[in-house]
Amino acid sequence: MACFERASPALREILFKIHRAERPLEIDHHVHEFGSVHYHVQSSASDQPYAYLSISTPLLSRGLPMSSELPEHTLEMVRGICPDVVEIVETPREGYQLTLKINLARIPHSKASTKMITDISSVQAVILSSQLKEILRNVDSYEVSRGLYKPIKLVYHPREPFFVIKQPAKITAVFPMRFKEKEDVIIATAFFQELMDVGSSGACTKAPHCIWSPIPPPELRGEPIQDLSTNCGFVSFDITSRHVEGKKLEKTVWNLLNFYAFVKYHVKSTRGFIQRRMRMRLERLVQPLQTAELEEDQLVKKKAKGCRRVRKWISASKLKILKRKDNFTNKIKRIRSRIKIHGFGRFRRRWLPKFSPVTRPKTVDALARMLECGSYPNITFKPRDRHPTILYRLPNISR
């Protein structure tokens, strides 16, 4: 996106850094702007107090091949920026169209230095607007060739030419508008219609008259078809003598040269604004669905509250799970449950007599005396013991 300021922000910052340094700096900076403007700033401690600024920029042409050298009236305008500080090197450095020698010692260390460095940083705008200025200065002196006003095609970017037509007491600037995407065409068309309505209102009587048309204006008849093939129509501005008086000339020229960049910036900003509003609207529509899903999840969690131990095991770490597993196994081992034999209770009630409370024998002889008395042992197992435990009851019948 092109910078709408006349002065280059990056170039101005570098020049301020060199000027405000307490000691001489070794600087060799390359700055690229707008995709085609190239600055090269050099400053050496051995060549103080001078700094060198080389510039390479596309020139405003009339659609025909032209020399890369700057015209004389452009060089005169560059010399007029700061005559005491800036000097044009006769032979520019290789690969550049212009090289300036800046005497930093003549720039005062006060508020005036800000204006001087800003003017030097706007050298690219001076070069670019010099040719268009020559056309607009002669707004009242028009040339008539066979009764027709021939349009002048000016090209700054290869895909963005525009036309300037000299007419009695005014100059008409016509911009063919082209966009790659259909969405950009819709946004730009709405913008041009609104711009035309606002320009015709009473609040903008001093502004240049703006006209938008989907077809080429009559002044462009006879131009090549490739220059008139657009998908977003044509925008025209009528510039009169009051728009180029004094300091207004600089502003008018700069606005015309940056009209394409301004329209693209507006389209891009509007598209981003629409996308943000669409996302916000989508979030509002989806919010009730997300709230319903959260409520359903909470109901499911409430139903699953009974299995607390299972939830704790799931949320616990692996080490805690292993420890709890060992504790549970030990608890199971401590349980003293007897082994049940189906049908043994009926056999006992029928064939075995009633016994006295349980006592545990200590020797095998005690077991033999028990068998002689007619008592029968009851054999049980404990999970913890390797051998069965023998329990016996003494009979209540006396012989």
Side-chain angles (χ1 to χ4, degrees):
M1 183 59 63
C3 177
F4 298 116
E5 297 181 7
R6 289 179 57 84
S8 169
L11 180 60
R12 181 171 53 190
E13 183 180 352
I14 295 172
L15 294 179
F16 271 125
K17 182 179 179 181
I18 299 173
H19 176 61
R20 294 172 180 174
E22 297 180 357
R23 298 178 181 179
L25 298 177
E26 294 285 344
I27 289 180
D28 189 356
H29 277 300
H30 292 267
V31 180
H32 295 267
E33 288 185 351
F34 313 149
S36 54
V37 181
H38 182 199
Y39 298 103
H40 184 201
V41 183
Q42 288 179 313
S43 176
S44 176
S46 60
D47 191 12
Q48 288 296 319
Y50 297 103
Y52 295 88
L53 171 62
S54 301
I55 305 164
S56 174
T57 178
L59 300 178
L60 188 66
S61 66
R62 297 194 177 189
L64 300 173
M66 61 177 296
S67 174
S68 60
E69 296 181 359
L70 299 177
E72 187 61 30
H73 62 84
T74 300
L75 296 177
E76 289 296 330
M77 295 182 68
V78 172
R79 291 189 184 97
I81 296 175
C82 293
D84 299 334
V85 179
V86 177
E87 179 185 351
I88 298 178
V89 179
E90 293 184 2
T91 304
R93 301 196 174 180
E94 185 179 357
Y96 299 93
Q97 297 161 332
L98 180 67
T99 300
L100 302 179
K101 184 178 181 180
I102 305 172
N103 189 348
L104 300 174
R106 295 184 179 181
I107 300 177
H109 291 273
S110 60
K111 293 183 179 179
S113 63
T114 303
K115 183 180 183 304
M116 296 178 69
I117 292 178
T118 302
D119 292 341
I120 296 172
S121 302
S122 61
V123 61
Q124 189 266 343
V126 173
I127 296 172
L128 181 62
S129 59
S130 62
Q131 188 174 359
L132 188 56
K133 275 185 182 180
E134 290 295 321
I135 299 173
L136 296 180
R137 275 202 186 100
N138 302 322
V139 67
D140 289 329
S141 61
Y142 55 91
E143 299 175 0
V144 180
S145 175
R146 297 181 182 180
L148 298 176
Y149 304 103
K150 187 177 180 180
I152 302 172
K153 179 183 177 182
L154 300 177
V155 179
Y156 176 51
H157 293 291
R159 298 181 181 179
E160 299 175 354
F162 64 98
F163 297 87
V164 176
I165 304 104
K166 288 186 176 183
Q167 294 181 357
K170 70 175 182 179
I171 286 181
T172 303
V174 183
F175 296 87
M177 305 306 299
R178 302 176 181 87
F179 295 93
K180 293 182 180 179
E181 300 184 9
K182 295 181 179 179
E183 295 82 359
D184 296 345
V185 174
I186 296 172
I187 296 172
T189 302
F191 170 67
F192 295 145
Q193 292 175 350
E194 185 178 357
L195 183 64
M196 187 171 57
D197 295 340
V198 173
S200 60
S201 63
C204 300
T205 53
K206 296 182 179 180
H209 183 58
C210 177
I211 301 173
W212 175 82
S213 174
I215 60 175
E219 294 84 2
L220 296 183
R221 290 177 182 175
E223 294 298 318
I225 188 64
Q226 61 268 18
D227 294 337
L228 304 180
S229 58
T230 65
N231 58 358
C232 199
F234 297 80
V235 182
S236 303
F237 293 97
D238 293 336
I239 301 169
T240 61
S241 58
R242 65 181 179 184
H243 299 133
V244 294
E245 292 176 352
K247 295 182 179 180
K248 292 182 180 179
L249 178 62
E250 294 281 348
K251 188 175 182 180
T252 301
V253 170
W254 190 246
N255 290 337
L256 290 176
L257 293 174
N258 286 276
F259 179 72
Y260 278 115
F262 176 75
V263 172
K264 290 181 179 179
Y265 174 79
H266 174 78
V267 171
K268 185 177 180 180
S269 301
T270 305
R271 192 168 182 174
F273 174 76
I274 294 172
Q275 290 175 353
R276 287 194 299 271
R277 291 297 299 270
M278 291 175 64
R279 284 195 295 267
M280 292 172 62
R281 179 62 177 167
L282 181 61
E283 290 176 359
R284 293 194 194 101
L285 294 175
V286 173
Q287 188 174 3
L289 299 177
Q290 294 177 347
T291 305
E293 290 180 359
L294 292 174
E295 291 177 355
E296 290 180 0
D297 294 341
Q298 290 177 358
L299 291 174
V300 172
K301 289 180 180 180
K302 287 181 180 179
K303 290 181 180 179
K305 268 189 176 180
C307 305
R308 293 181 181 177
R309 189 172 297 277
V310 175
R311 290 204 312 273
K312 287 181 180 179
W313 283 356
I314 292 173
S315 61
S317 62
K318 188 175 180 180
L319 182 60
K320 290 182 178 180
I321 291 174
L322 294 174
K323 288 182 179 181
R324 289 177 180 176
K325 186 176 179 181
D326 294 339
N327 295 337
F328 180 75
T329 305
N330 295 335
K331 287 181 181 180
I332 292 295
K333 288 181 180 180
R334 293 194 194 101
I335 298 175
R336 300 180 179 182
S337 59
R338 296 185 179 184
I339 298 177
K340 295 182 180 180
I341 303 175
H342 295 285
F344 186 74
R346 187 184 303 171
F347 173 78
R348 178 182 176 185
R349 287 193 301 271
R350 183 174 180 182
W351 298 102
L352 298 180
K354 294 182 180 181
F355 298 98
S356 59
V358 178
T359 59
R360 182 181 297 275
K362 293 184 179 181
T363 60
V364 180
D365 296 335
L367 179 59
R369 287 197 300 272
M370 178 194 66
L371 294 174
E372 289 177 357
C373 295
S375 63
Y376 296 92
N378 229 348
I379 302 175
T380 61
F381 291 88
K382 295 182 179 179
R384 206 173 183 182
D385 301 333
R386 296 183 180 179
H387 303 286
T389 302
I390 302 174
L391 304 179
Y392 66 93
R393 301 175 186 273
L394 297 177
N396 294 327
I397 303 172
S398 58
R399 292 185 180 179

